[in-house]
Amino acid sequence: MRHRSFLLLVGLLIGVNTFAQRGDELMKIFHSIRSAEVFGYADTLSSERFKGRLAGTPEYMDAANWVADHLKSWGVKPAMKDGSYFQTFKSNYTKRNDVGIFSVVFTDRSGREIKKSYRFPDDYLPGSNSGTGDVNAEVVYVGYGITAPELKYDDYKGVDVKGKVIILEAGIPYKGKEEEVKKQWAVYASSALKVENAVKHGAAAVLHVGMVGKPGYPYSDKLVYNHVSDGVVSELFYGSGKEYKALKKRISEKMRPQSLELKHKVRLTAETERFNDNITGNVIGLIEGSDPELKDEVIILGAHLDGQGSPGALFAGALDNASGCANLMAIAKAFSQLKERPKRSVMFIFYGAEEIGLVGSRFYSEHPLFPMEKTVCVVNMDMVGNGNSFVLTRVDSDPLLRPYFVDTNDKYIHRALRTYKARRTNSRPRTDGHLLFNKGYRAYGLWIGGREKPLYYHHPYDTKETLTPEIMEDVAKWMFLSVEKIANDSELDIKKL
């Protein structure tokens, strides 16, 4: 009896000592995650070397190989069955060789002409998927550019746009909350339909309202286009007797088009090359679980690797989303330093082609490496490099998983944290996490709150100078400890989630 008690005591002491040693190891790795290193990854990814990481380009694949080389050097396994880090698919892209010319000859009511040249990037952004051309023509405001007979709505009715430059709004005019009406209008928010409609009506060029570069904007060799500021559009209403913002507001209030021929002459130029069917893809690394049964379950951490590219000038994409990838790399490195692998598997996905329509995450959902029912959760990191607090969406709907993230932050990080419940909407998903959630995954979105520096979204000013290295360090530390706890909790029953 005494011998048995002695063995139990020895076993208990060994267990306590092993637990303490693991705790010491975790804290050592935790403290080894430094802001300078995490920022360094983002700095390189947003450098001129990768030219904005546009999906489909050689520079994107250079960035993908750079990430894969780091994973390999750390001992993070390739996740693909063929021993590769790359889950490949096809992608098209447009190379824009210059920012082009954008100028206007204004004509006042007396017939006097005033010429103004607009400046990149303060007044306009070059359209990433513009066709090649030199258009010099009158400008017409066509509101949302929608023709919807069943809704008795047509922005092109009563105006002639053939061979002209049109001003086009994003979205739809309906601002109400009736779900059935929203559904009727939602299809017409599609940029593809708007471009198709503009070409059908004979427009030669588009000024798309909003200073947000969009490599996912539909390509047409028949259209030259730029993104322009509200201020530019307001100036184009000069001499019309109408005020731009009031006119736009009236469209939604009356639910009737307010299209207007503005007469001023606009010049747009663009020189582009189109490349089709290029290889691109996701980069996927794996820390395989150590438990014979639990290793078949996986926690996925993801961030999109691609960016806006270089449409005439570098769009570095530091915040969006070199920051998320830098954090993902730091977390992968931390897991690789564990002497004993976690019980469950942990997978790191650097999604490709997010900016052109969430292509990489959709491709993964259609060709998963682990079954959805074996995926504990997905955490998607997007724009996580500027601010001072954490935001974790949809986690409140999973009460068994929420404490891992909340308690870790409370105990080790001490950042303000906002969490939210999952909410299904009829709108199209805007992030990889949202897409995977719609596909049925427990997918959370990790964001940063409390901006400390100016935020530039899809803009050439999104450079490394806009990043907050300290928050990036804390994101990596937080996710490392939180996911490590989930991966090693043998009491967690995935069937109860």
Side-chain angles (χ1 to χ4, degrees), residues 1-10:
M1 190 70 177
R2 288 177 181 176
H3 181 67
R4 184 179 177 187
S5 299
F6 176 75
L7 290 177
L8 287 172
L9 179 59
V10 170

Side-chain angles (χ1 to χ4, degrees), residues 100-112:
I101 296 169
F102 174 35
S103 62
V104 179
V105 175
F106 293 94
T107 304
D108 65 17
R109 291 181 178 180
S110 67
R112 184 182 58 163

Side-chain angles (χ1 to χ4, degrees), residues 332-373:
K333 181 181 179 182
F335 269 97
S336 74
Q337 293 173 324
L338 290 169
K339 292 178 182 177
E340 184 179 335
R341 286 176 291 138
K343 292 181 172 63
R344 291 182 175 85
S345 296
V346 181
M347 193 156 68
F348 310 93
I349 307 182
F350 299 79
Y351 300 108
E354 188 264 4
E355 298 290 8
I356 62 173
L358 310 179
V359 179
S361 53
R362 181 176 289 105
F363 191 86
Y364 178 82
S365 73
E366 294 167 354
H367 306 86
L369 304 186
F370 284 77
M372 186 191 299
E373 62 272 14

Side-chain angles (χ1 to χ4, degrees), residues 48 67 74 150 159 174 216 240 257 268 292 322 335 344 409 450 485:
E48 179 69 36
V67 170
W74 297 328
E150 74 280 12
V159 291
Y174 182 73
S240 69
L268 270 75
F335 269 97
R344 291 182 175 85
N409 178 56
K485 287 183 180 180

Side-chain angles (χ1 to χ4, degrees), residues 386-391 418 448-453 468 471:
N386 180 349
N388 53 36
S389 61
F390 298 148
V391 177
R418 286 178 289 151
I448 300 300
R451 302 293 178 200
E452 294 193 336
K453 297 182 180 181
T468 312
I471 196 72

Side-chain angles (χ1 to χ4, degrees), residues 411-449:
K411 187 173 181 181
Y412 298 102
I413 310 296
H414 314 297
R415 291 274 185 178
L417 168 62
R418 286 178 289 151
T419 60
Y420 295 92
K421 285 187 175 182
R423 185 171 63 90
R424 294 196 177 274
T425 66
N426 292 319
S427 61
R428 69 179 178 87
R430 301 294 297 272
T431 67
D432 295 311
H434 193 176
L435 181 141
L436 292 170
F437 169 71
N438 284 358
K439 295 286 187 179
Y441 286 87
R442 280 179 292 277
Y444 313 135
L446 200 167
W447 304 87
I448 300 300

Side-chain angles (χ1 to χ4, degrees), residues 54-57 90-94 129 215 274-278 280 356:
L54 180 64
T57 63
K90 296 283 184 71
S91 179
N92 306 328
Y93 75 94
T94 304
N129 278 332
R274 185 67 172 171
F275 298 86
N276 296 314
D277 295 329
N278 299 277
T280 193
I356 62 173

Side-chain angles (χ1 to χ4, degrees), residues 38-234:
V38 186
F39 176 79
Y41 301 143
D43 184 9
T44 301
L45 284 170
S46 58
S47 69
E48 179 69 36
R49 170 181 172 181
F50 300 127
K51 297 190 183 302
R53 311 180 308 281
L54 180 64
T57 63
E59 292 81 14
Y60 171 82
M61 289 308 297
D62 188 13
N65 278 291
W66 183 81
V67 170
D69 286 346
H70 278 77
L71 297 177
K72 183 178 180 180
S73 71
W74 297 328
V76 179
K77 289 177 54 177
M80 303 303 293
K81 290 181 179 179
D82 64 359
S84 167
Y85 289 99
F86 302 104
Q87 186 181 47
T88 58
F89 46 85
K90 296 283 184 71
S91 179
N92 306 328
Y93 75 94
T94 304
K95 180 183 179 183
R96 180 152 181 168
N97 297 320
D98 57 28
V99 299
I101 296 169
F102 174 35
S103 62
V104 179
V105 175
F106 293 94
T107 304
D108 65 17
R109 291 181 178 180
S110 67
R112 184 182 58 163
E113 292 185 348
I114 305 168
K115 184 176 180 179
K116 180 173 182 178
S117 295
Y118 286 100
R119 296 175 302 171
F120 163 85
D122 299 320
D123 300 320
Y124 76 96
L125 301 177
S128 300
N129 278 332
S130 176
T132 291
D134 186 337
V135 177
N136 192 1
E138 289 186 357
V139 62
V140 181
Y141 178 73
V142 295
Y144 292 88
I146 292 171
T147 301
E150 74 280 12
L151 295 171
K152 298 180 180 179
Y153 185 95
D154 186 1
D155 280 310
Y156 288 93
K157 186 177 181 180
V159 291
D160 176 18
V161 304
K162 192 169 183 179
K164 298 180 181 179
V165 180
I166 62 172
I167 301 171
L168 187 61
E169 303 281 0
I172 55 177
Y174 182 73
K175 308 301 180 188
K177 297 182 179 180
E178 294 182 39
E179 289 300 322
E180 287 304 313
V181 180
K182 272 186 185 179
K183 286 181 184 178
Q184 289 179 296
W185 279 99
V187 64
Y188 292 104
S190 163
S191 295
L193 278 182
K194 293 187 180 193
V195 167
E196 183 182 317
N197 205 22
V199 171
K200 179 181 176 182
H201 284 85
V206 172
L207 298 178
H208 191 94
V209 184
M211 291 288 283
V212 178
K214 297 180 179 180
Y217 200 79
Y219 172 77
S220 171
D221 61 1
K222 296 179 175 64
L223 283 179
V224 175
Y225 79 94
N226 282 344
H227 302 277
V228 298
S229 70
D230 284 11
V232 169
V233 179
S234 293

